[in-house]
Amino acid sequence: MAQKHSKRFRKAAENHDRHKAYSVADAVKQVKEKASAKFDETVDLAIKLKIDAKQADQLVRGSLSLPHGIGKSMRVVAFAEGEMAEAAKAAGAIEVGAQDLVDKITGGWMDFDVAVAHPGMMRFVGKLGKVLGPKGLMPSPKSGTVTDKVAEAVAEFAAGKIEFRNDKEGNVHMVVGKVSFDADKLVDNINAAVQHIKSIRPQAVKGEYITGVYVASTMGPGFKISNQAEAAPAN
């Protein structure tokens, strides 16, 4: 069944060639011009990778602090005890605990964006695999959310550090800011995100790696970014 789009989306997509590739700066300009919602739309980046998502040695995941943040604070919970728990709370964690936090989440509470855990807490957190895993919220050393430096990680994620992981089709999606951002800040964030994904290319991936990069606002159409395009100064 064909996807139905809103009138706002259809209007924004008028005369839009989805196959045309833009420089980063021109793609950002298009996104900002086509954004028409009454709220400050999020700007999303999609990077299509030529990986086999079924192979563990080809998975792409991690965390990243963008040069200009993403325009929102993140709700972080921390699995920690004692002084470390107090430090995590002071750093901005909205909930801190061990088995009690596991019980709260198991009971249906999911009002958070990131979960950080001390390695010693994984004996508790492991019970949440079936709950947090499908939502992409399970703490992991690769994403920087299982760490000895719990308070530091809480502060970073609360300030807007983002987690990412490829989906089953091999695509990586991440927020790179808001439509209200200055164009040059969005350009910087997009370039930083793409360069980071390039830098963590799995060794098992041979040949072409990034096959497409697209940017869009929440309610707007997507714009393809040329693989060869370098960001020009935004006007």
Side-chain angles (χ1 to χ4, degrees), residues 61 79 115-117 122 125 132 136-141 143 145-146 163:
R61 68 177 302 181
F79 291 92
V116 173
M122 292 308 292
V125 183
L132 300 182
L137 294 172
M138 188 67 181
S140 163
S143 65
T145 48
V146 175
E163 288 186 85

Side-chain angles (χ1 to χ4, degrees), residues 37-108:
K38 294 181 180 180
F39 60 90
D40 190 8
E41 296 180 51
T42 294
V43 178
D44 299 297
L45 186 70
I47 304 176
K48 185 174 180 59
L49 305 176
K50 195 171 184 179
I51 62 174
D52 185 346
K54 295 181 180 179
Q55 302 301 318
D57 61 354
Q58 294 191 35
L59 301 183
V60 175
R61 68 177 302 181
S63 58
L64 173 65
S65 291
L66 295 173
H68 306 290
I70 60 172
K72 65 173 289 188
S73 58
M74 306 292 279
R75 299 167 299 172
V76 184
V77 299
F79 291 92
E81 293 180 312
E83 293 183 1
M84 197 169 296
E86 291 300 321
K89 192 74 173 180
I94 61 171
E95 290 286 340
V96 178
Q99 183 61 54
D100 56 332
L101 184 52
V102 169
D103 292 341
K104 185 171 183 176
I105 293 171
T106 302

Side-chain angles (χ1 to χ4, degrees), residues 167-196:
D167 61 21
K168 62 182 180 181
E169 281 79 37
N171 305 307
V172 170
H173 298 270
M174 62 178 78
V175 174
V176 291
K178 295 283 190 177
V179 166
S180 62
F181 276 27
D182 290 342
D184 57 348
K185 291 184 177 180
L186 286 171
V187 168
D188 287 347
N189 279 357
I190 290 169
N191 280 334
V194 173
Q195 288 303 316
H196 183 73

Side-chain angles (χ1 to χ4, degrees), residues 7 15 129 134 211:
K7 290 182 180 179
N15 303 317
T211 62

Side-chain angles (χ1 to χ4, degrees), residues 114-130:
V114 180
V116 173
H118 183 272
M121 293 289 100
M122 292 308 292
R123 66 184 187 278
F124 300 113
V125 183
K127 303 172 185 178
L128 294 172
K130 292 183 179 180

